[in-house]
Amino acid sequence: MEYTVQKLAQLAGVSSRTLRYYDEIGLLKPARINSSGYRIYGSAEIDKLQQILFYRELGVELEKIKKIIHSSSFDSLKALQEHRTKLVENKKQLELLITNVEKTIANYEGRIVMSDQEKFTGFKQKLINDNEAKYGKEIRAKYGNEKVDRSNQKLMGLTPEQYAELQKLEAEIMDTLQAALTTGDPASELAQETADLHRQWLSYTWDKYSEEAHAGLAQMYVDDARFTAYYDRIQAGAAKFLRDAILIYTGKNK
Amino acid sequence: MEYTVQKLAQLAGVSSRTLRYYDEIGLLKPARINSSGYRIYGSAEIDKLQQILFYRELGVELEKIKKIIHSSSFDSLKALQEHRTKLVENKKQLELLITNVEKTIANYEGRIVMSDQEKFTGFKQKLINDNEAKYGKEIRAKYGNEKVDRSNQKLMGLTPEQYAELQKLEAEIMDTLQAALTTGDPASELAQETADLHRQWLSYTWDKYSEEAHAGLAQMYVDDARFTAYYDRIQAGAAKFLRDAILIYTGKNK
DNA sequence: GCTTGACCTTTACGTAGCGGAAAGGTTTAT
DNA sequence: ATAAACCTTTCCGCTACGTAAAGGTCAAGC
């Protein structure tokens, strides 16, 4: 099959201007030009356009797309599989946003309380995704599947009121931590209050509190980039500070 | 809580330039300017920024966002609910794209043959209608190899529009199945909805629906590794779960 | 008290990926 | 034969910022 600009445009759901632009920048040249100067595209161009649109959908710049698909080492199959992975990631991202909007509705209706951080989950893009991929497994291996699963289970069983309380606590922790950071002293009253709030918060998700586990978790906040990032949003070094405060609080600071 | 540009930027995952630009165009003005001319944002601005980002995510132009959220009749709750609807639509669109990429991989590996039209499903949406008149015959000739053997005949007669509908259904089935799996109960409302969607889907490819055949196919999903793999992409045991849901749906669960 | 570095400010020019209009040639249908 | 519907190139405009440049502010450490 041969297509003129407009026909291909309609087939692919892009404008003819777009196709001319792609020709202009050398991204997609027609198979040939007929005697009247019309652009004529063939099936090879169709496949190429499809590839281009996949990349475009993923937000890749046209110049980069050009380099990618023109490179001699370009492996379509591998590229497609990468497309799939990224699309699935984007889908997860979207699901996060949907959760966010649902939470925001609940927040609006007064059913739950959202922290400021929470209000923007899903908007920040890959950073979190990447970390999840990098550290997700590792965490489970390091700190035990059991504990993670059990805490998940317990979370599912919470009443809405309890859940709201939990969220309020979380917000309070962040606020107090921020205040405590200005003292600079993990042994300060404010820092110790933060640690105590954190213990209360844990009690919602843990079956049994122990100082050992609490101290272990605090160390994790420093070791694991996901958590470090979470707390360091307040201020660089916040995770470390929180850990130190908790180590003092639990008496494991030696 | 009060935030300077950079802190708010980090919280929301945007650049400080973006915040200044939003101030410049009057989209989001800081709560106040301190004595040194610094922009200071409060919690009202946080909520507003969140709203803005929801709209931006949906591709709404900043000028329009401005008009929307500044209009006196602006109803945040209603807006949020509309956001949700649109995000869910986008998610379905993404699922279509994922299906497309998976098919393209299969096409590449020689397992199936894709028509030119098919190569762009998911990229476009409503332009499909027009193409039907123009390319109808050609498509019908090409659609043949697409599906499982027994459904070939009926598929050959599908219009592109119907084909798109079929793909949408397929995506919906996966979506609903995923949700149903969290309930863990094949008799749950969601699971039964999945079974019903599955029946609708079958109606596209079967001449005549019967509960026996439906139940038989469900069993096949478990017995045949190819199908098991297809559904278990979602989660291990998904095929089994779907079978059980269908057995209950068809009343053949004994 | 002074420096350093991380903040903040405004102004201003640059860019990607097209949209759209102008001015004209070609093809197809009636 | 004429209109409608294509096609062409050229060029200017737009959005949503990125990226300097040139300078003021603030807290920390020496």
Side-chain angles (χ1 to χ4, degrees):
Chain A
M1 268 301 289
E2 299 205 320
Y3 299 89
T4 55
V5 256
Q6 191 138 278
K7 284 190 183 167
L8 178 56
Q10 219 181 345
L11 176 72
V14 301
S15 73
S16 52
R17 176 71 178 85
T18 298
L19 290 180
R20 288 195 198 97
Y21 180 64
Y22 288 179
D23 182 9
E24 186 187 331
I25 64 170
L27 179 57
L28 180 72
K29 301 219 166 195
R32 61 189 180 83
I33 308 279
N34 78 3
S35 58
S36 316
Y38 287 22
R39 292 172 178 80
I40 307 293
Y41 297 87
S43 54
E45 284 72 35
I46 289 185
D47 289 349
K48 205 164 166 186
L49 178 55
Q50 192 200 16
Q51 288 273 7
I52 290 168
L53 293 185
F54 274 133
Y55 280 109
R56 195 183 69 165
E57 187 70 23
L58 296 172
V60 181
E61 287 157 35
L62 300 186
E63 270 307 312
K64 267 187 196 161
I65 299 181
K66 191 172 151 187
K67 277 182 193 162
I68 293 170
I69 63 178
H70 286 172
S71 102
S72 57
S73 65
F74 177 64
D75 180 343
S76 328
L77 184 59
K78 208 172 147 194
L80 282 168
Q81 281 159 349
E82 282 169 15
H83 283 325
R84 206 192 83 88
T85 309
K86 285 189 186 161
L87 286 173
V88 169
E89 257 175 44
N90 286 358
K91 189 185 148 193
K92 278 185 192 161
Q93 178 72 21
L94 246 183
E95 278 162 356
L96 251 177
L97 258 183
I98 291 172
T99 309
N100 186 354
V101 108
E102 281 166 352
K103 271 192 191 170
T104 307
I105 290 173
N107 178 57
Y108 194 87
E109 292 173 338
R111 288 189 275 115
I112 64 163
V113 175
M114 281 179 96
S115 72
D116 284 351
Q117 275 83 1
E118 233 178 314
K119 286 174 183 167
F120 296 100
T121 45
F123 288 124
K124 317 189 187 194
Q125 292 192 326
K126 287 190 221 156
L127 298 170
I128 297 169
N129 267 349
D130 287 357
N131 282 334
E132 175 70 49
K134 275 186 203 155
Y135 301 103
K137 267 177 281 174
E138 206 180 312
I139 286 183
R140 288 196 161 239
K142 208 167 171 186
Y143 302 99
N145 273 335
E146 229 191 320
K147 217 173 247 170
V148 177
D149 283 345
R150 238 189 323 175
S151 84
N152 279 345
Q153 231 183 0
K154 216 187 162 194
L155 252 183
M156 302 258 284
L158 289 182
T159 67
E161 292 89 302
Q162 286 176 308
Y163 189 67
E165 180 60 32
L166 188 64
Q167 293 206 303
K168 218 172 83 192
L169 257 175
E170 205 175 335
E172 266 174 47
I173 289 172
M174 295 309 264
D175 277 349
T176 321
L177 178 56
Q178 187 154 37
L181 274 161
T182 66
T183 72
D185 178 15
S188 70
E189 214 181 309
L190 266 173
Q192 289 306 297
E193 196 190 322
T194 311
D196 188 60
L197 283 168
H198 190 256
R199 179 194 53 74
Q200 289 176 49
W201 180 72
L202 277 181
S203 306
Y204 274 90
T205 53
W206 281 9
D207 285 326
K208 200 165 67 71
Y209 173 83
S210 80
E211 290 181 339
E212 285 77 15
H214 194 180
L217 193 71
Q219 185 56 46
M220 189 173 91
Y221 287 167
V222 175
D223 292 341
D224 189 297
R226 286 189 314 168
F227 290 102
T228 311
Y230 179 72
Y231 287 103
D232 280 9
R233 217 167 286 168
I234 297 181
Q235 189 183 308
K240 221 169 182 177
F241 183 87
L242 179 58
R243 178 201 60 183
D244 293 338
I246 291 176
L247 287 181
I248 292 165
Y249 181 78
T250 57
K252 305 287 170 195
N253 54 328
K254 277 159 296 177
Chain B
M1 272 300 293
E2 299 206 318
Y3 297 90
T4 54
V5 256
Q6 192 139 278
K7 286 196 179 159
L8 178 55
Q10 217 184 343
L11 176 72
V14 301
S15 73
S16 52
R17 175 69 175 88
T18 298
L19 291 179
R20 289 196 197 96
Y21 180 64
Y22 288 179
D23 182 8
E24 185 187 332
I25 65 170
L27 179 58
L28 180 72
K29 302 217 166 193
R32 63 190 178 81
I33 307 280
N34 78 3
S35 57
S36 318
Y38 287 20
R39 293 174 178 79
I40 308 291
Y41 297 88
S43 53
E45 285 71 37
I46 289 185
D47 290 350
K48 206 164 167 187
L49 178 55
Q50 192 200 17
Q51 285 275 9
I52 290 168
L53 293 186
F54 274 131
Y55 279 109
R56 193 182 70 164
E57 188 69 24
L58 295 171
V60 180
E61 286 159 36
L62 298 186
E63 269 308 312
K64 268 188 196 162
I65 299 180
K66 189 173 153 188
K67 277 183 193 161
I68 293 170
I69 64 178
H70 286 173
S71 111
S72 57
S73 64
F74 177 62
D75 181 344
S76 357
L77 183 59
K78 208 171 145 195
L80 284 168
Q81 281 158 349
E82 282 168 13
H83 285 323
R84 208 192 81 89
T85 309
K86 285 189 185 160
L87 286 173
V88 169
E89 258 173 44
N90 286 358
K91 189 182 146 195
K92 279 184 189 163
Q93 176 72 17
L94 240 184
E95 276 160 356
L96 250 177
L97 257 182
I98 292 173
T99 309
N100 187 358
V101 116
E102 282 166 353
K103 279 190 186 166
T104 306
I105 290 174
N107 178 57
Y108 195 86
E109 292 173 337
R111 287 191 275 115
I112 65 165
V113 175
M114 284 178 91
S115 74
D116 284 353
Q117 270 81 8
E118 233 180 312
K119 286 174 184 167
F120 295 102
T121 44
F123 287 127
K124 53 176 182 173
Q125 282 177 312
K126 46 185 176 169
L127 295 168
I128 294 170
N129 293 358
D130 284 275
N131 284 335
E132 201 253 340
K134 287 176 192 163
Y135 305 104
K137 271 174 281 175
E138 191 195 326
I139 295 167
R140 288 190 188 107
K142 275 187 176 173
Y143 268 148
N145 301 330
E146 237 307 326
K147 284 283 157 180
V148 200
D149 286 343
R150 47 201 293 197
S151 59
N152 267 356
Q153 275 185 341
K154 214 190 163 190
L155 251 184
M156 275 177 45
L158 287 183
T159 67
E161 204 182 327
Q162 287 175 308
Y163 190 78
E165 180 61 31
L166 188 64
Q167 289 208 308
K168 215 171 92 191
L169 257 177
E170 206 176 332
E172 266 175 46
I173 289 172
M174 296 308 265
D175 200 8
T176 321
L177 178 56
Q178 185 158 33
L181 274 161
T182 68
T183 71
D185 179 15
S188 69
E189 213 179 310
L190 267 173
Q192 290 305 297
E193 196 190 322
T194 312
D196 187 61
L197 283 169
H198 189 257
R199 180 193 54 73
Q200 288 177 49
W201 180 73
L202 276 180
S203 306
Y204 273 88
T205 54
W206 281 6
D207 286 326
K208 199 165 67 72
Y209 174 83
S210 81
E211 290 181 341
E212 285 79 11
H214 194 180
L217 191 70
Q219 185 56 46
M220 193 173 90
Y221 286 168
V222 175
D223 295 339
D224 188 310
R226 287 178 310 166
F227 289 103
T228 312
Y230 179 71
Y231 286 102
D232 281 10
R233 272 185 315 178
I234 298 181
Q235 190 183 308
K240 219 167 180 177
F241 183 89
L242 178 59
R243 179 201 59 184
D244 292 338
I246 291 176
L247 288 180
I248 292 166
Y249 181 78
T250 55
K252 305 289 169 192
N253 55 329
K254 278 161 290 180

